[in-house]
Amino acid sequence: MDGIKTIDDLIASKNLTKEELELFDDLIREAREREKHSSELSRLTRDNLERLSDGLNIIAERTAEIGKSMEQLLDHMETLYIRSMPDSKFHRE
């Protein structure tokens, strides 16, 4: 079944007669409808995965920004803490 990806590919590979095509007409029609539906669902899934990926990239960027901001905030808090300490708490030589 290599190279057979669609219902039409399968039908062509089986060399069905006109009578067989008529006999299996309902089945072939249903298979084509399902193939079309499956293709649409695959397209929607790809689109949703791309949107999800874009969203996750934005979250990763924002998380990195928050991490940098937190580091800066901690640095400022340490500086403020040291500045607010009384001179008696510092060791002098």
Side-chain angles (χ1 to χ4, degrees):
M1 301 222 9
D2 289 334
I4 298 175
K5 297 184 186 234
T6 65
I7 298 305
D8 291 328
D9 292 344
L10 179 62
I11 292 169
S13 73
K14 297 297 180 185
N15 297 318
L16 299 176
T17 65
K18 187 175 183 177
E19 292 81 22
E20 289 172 324
L21 288 172
E22 288 175 7
L23 179 65
F24 297 119
D25 184 57
D26 290 341
L27 182 62
I28 292 169
R29 192 174 321 123
E30 181 182 342
R32 284 182 175 143
E33 288 173 13
R34 288 181 183 216
E35 181 178 68
K36 183 178 177 182
H37 185 68
S38 177
S39 294
E40 179 64 17
L41 291 176
S42 293
R43 185 190 64 76
L44 289 172
T45 300
R46 273 191 306 277
D47 291 348
N48 286 335
L49 286 173
E50 285 179 21
R51 288 177 47 216
L52 178 62
S53 177
D54 292 344
L56 290 173
N57 286 334
I58 290 171
I59 289 172
E61 290 170 3
R62 301 280 165 80
T63 302
E65 290 174 13
I66 289 171
K68 289 177 186 175
S69 296
M70 291 296 291
E71 287 178 16
Q72 292 174 348
L73 179 61
L74 288 173
D75 288 343
H76 290 301
M77 286 177 59
E78 288 173 357
T79 302
L80 180 63
Y81 179 73
I82 291 172
R83 286 183 178 172
S84 66
M85 287 176 63
D87 286 341
S88 62
K89 297 285 182 177
F90 288 99
H91 174 72
R92 305 216 193 268
E93 289 192 24

